[in-house]
Amino acid sequence: MDMDRLADVEMRENTVSLRLLMLKLYKRNPRELRKSSAVGAEEWVRLVFDRRTDWRFKEINELQGVEAIHQALRFDFTGDRVLSLIVGMQTMLIKAHGGKTEFYATDSIDPQAIHNVARNTEIAVWKLSNARDEYGQPLLLEQ
């Protein structure tokens, strides 16, 4: 299989996984959805992933990448943790692929950048599992 096809498949599968994670997190944490949207979880996920926003959302201070992930896991953040986490993950992934979501045979991918995304994702999952508010409750109920 060509490298560009592998990159296309990897990006598509990661995006599908993040959409599903976002939906599951909103269903477990409806209070977070109400912080950003008056529509249902399915519609909001569709709007977030399908509209052309350059992944900047005023609801999460227009942060992206690792900064958005850190924000989502801060106990004092009062915004939409799910949106911040998912936007952070997706934009981190896009940045690691040179800002692209579609790939061609002439494109190159930095293996270290992909490794860094995998490692940052691993850390974010661990933090999500362990992050608590001032009352000792999980910041987000996991899927």
Side-chain angles (χ1 to χ4, degrees):
M1 188 177 271
D2 296 332
M3 189 63 179
D4 61 313
R5 288 188 60 207
L6 283 174
D8 281 332
V9 168
E10 180 252 339
M11 180 62 83
R12 186 173 37 254
E13 287 185 5
N14 282 322
T15 299
V16 167
S17 294
L18 285 173
R19 286 176 85 121
L20 182 59
L21 177 62
M22 186 178 194
L23 181 60
K24 287 180 175 186
L25 286 172
Y26 275 137
K27 287 185 176 191
R28 293 287 312 264
N29 301 275
R31 71 185 180 283
E32 299 301 320
L33 178 61
R34 290 188 295 270
K35 294 176 183 179
S36 291
S37 178
V39 300
E42 292 87 358
E43 179 66 10
W44 183 236
V45 170
R46 189 187 65 72
L47 288 170
V48 166
F49 277 88
D50 294 347
R51 69 181 185 184
R52 300 292 178 229
T53 62
D54 78 350
W55 291 95
R56 297 207 178 272
F57 295 87
K58 65 180 177 2
E59 296 88 351
I60 58 168
N61 307 312
E62 297 189 356
L63 292 181
Q64 296 182 331
V66 175
E67 292 82 14
I69 295 167
H70 285 302
Q71 172 179 260
L73 299 172
R74 279 195 351 246
F75 82 93
D76 61 339
F77 178 57
T78 59
D80 183 344
R81 294 179 188 283
V82 173
L83 181 63
S84 196
L85 179 68
I86 297 300
V87 167
M89 301 289 284
Q90 181 71 359
T91 54
M92 182 177 59
L93 185 63
I94 292 169
K95 183 178 178 183
H97 288 85
K100 298 178 180 186
T101 57
E102 294 181 7
F103 304 92
Y104 302 95
T106 56
D107 291 337
S108 63
I109 295 174
D110 177 6
Q112 185 62 51
I114 301 303
H115 170 79
N116 293 346
V117 167
R119 184 71 179 126
N120 288 341
T121 300
E122 196 174 44
I123 292 167
V125 168
W126 180 85
K127 285 186 175 189
L128 178 62
S129 298
N130 292 289
R132 306 277 181 219
D133 65 15
E134 63 271 19
Y135 305 108
Q137 298 300 311
L139 294 178
L140 286 173
L141 297 175
E142 299 176 48
Q143 55 171 352

